[in-house]
Amino acid sequence: MDTKDKVLKKLEDLNIKYEITEHPPVYTIEDMEDLHLNEKGHVAKNLFLKNSNGKNHFLVVLKGDRKADLKSIRAQINSSALSFASEDRLEKHLGLLKGAVTPLGIINNCDHSVQVIIDEDLSKESIIGVHPNVNTSTIWITFEDLKKFIEEMGNEIKYVTL
């Protein structure tokens, strides 16, 4: 089963309703805006970070129009300095490739070691767009269902104000 099918099956197993949009590969929020994907809901921006010694990994999920202030996030989660994790780490911990970072990637984080950090303002959006572990599709789900998915995978969620 490929990674997208694995996500779709898990969504169905959890009785999570979703809509899917197929599209050309996208790598940035700007790419998604160019395809007018943000008209169906709020497209989430996703960043995969590590702390200074590389022992802790964080998947930061924020509103697409937000800038990630790493110093502010660091202070709010009581971490050492944060930086972007390498593509090797992304693949090792989430089974994802560059351009397909998504909170649904935690389905591949079997040891639950990646903490999910969510922008408090994103939690107020009704419909969220995220990739189903590939950057050629976008899944549209409610924030509550996204939260349910993450919690079912066993990963810790923390909220931050950006």
Side-chain angles (χ1 to χ4, degrees):
M1 179 181 309
D2 76 17
T3 187
K4 177 181 169 182
D5 290 339
K6 184 176 176 183
V7 168
L8 297 179
K9 180 173 181 347
K10 180 53 85 174
L11 290 170
E12 289 165 12
D13 289 349
L14 295 173
N15 294 313
I16 293 176
K17 292 184 168 108
Y18 64 89
E19 185 179 329
I20 189 165
T21 304
E22 304 292 338
H23 50 73
V26 292
Y27 296 92
T28 65
I29 291 293
E30 292 76 19
D31 290 346
M32 295 188 79
E33 288 171 354
D34 289 345
L35 294 173
H36 305 286
L37 294 175
N38 54 345
E39 293 173 1
K40 290 193 174 200
H42 199 91
V43 175
K45 182 187 292 186
N46 306 283
L47 310 171
F48 188 57
L49 307 175
K50 65 176 185 68
N51 70 342
S52 60
N53 67 11
K55 290 186 178 179
N56 296 309
H57 294 86
F58 307 93
L59 179 57
V60 179
V61 186
L62 60 153
K63 291 180 78 167
D65 58 357
R66 288 281 162 86
K67 299 285 185 211
D69 179 345
L70 298 188
K71 287 183 181 178
S72 174
I73 294 170
R74 168 191 172 188
Q76 291 180 66
I77 63 171
N78 296 316
S79 174
S80 57
L82 297 174
S83 61
F84 289 91
S86 68
E87 289 181 49
D88 288 343
R89 286 177 186 261
L90 176 62
E91 189 167 1
K92 176 182 175 185
H93 293 280
L94 295 177
L96 300 175
L97 300 175
K98 182 180 174 183
V101 180
T102 172
L104 303 179
I106 62 162
I107 196 170
N108 300 318
N109 185 230
C110 298
D111 66 358
H112 316 294
S113 61
V114 175
Q115 289 184 41
V116 180
I117 311 300
I118 298 177
D119 172 11
E120 188 76 47
D121 283 345
L122 186 67
S123 70
K124 298 171 186 160
E125 296 294 331
S126 54
I127 301 294
I128 310 289
V130 294
H131 292 311
N133 293 357
V134 295
N135 67 349
T136 55
S137 303
T138 299
I139 295 282
W140 303 98
I141 60 175
T142 66
F143 177 79
E144 286 305 315
D145 281 339
L146 176 61
K147 179 180 167 191
K148 176 181 176 180
F149 183 94
I150 295 166
E151 289 171 343
E152 286 289 328
M153 295 302 103
N155 292 67
E156 181 180 357
I157 299 175
K158 289 186 179 177
Y159 293 90
V160 296
T161 303
L162 297 174

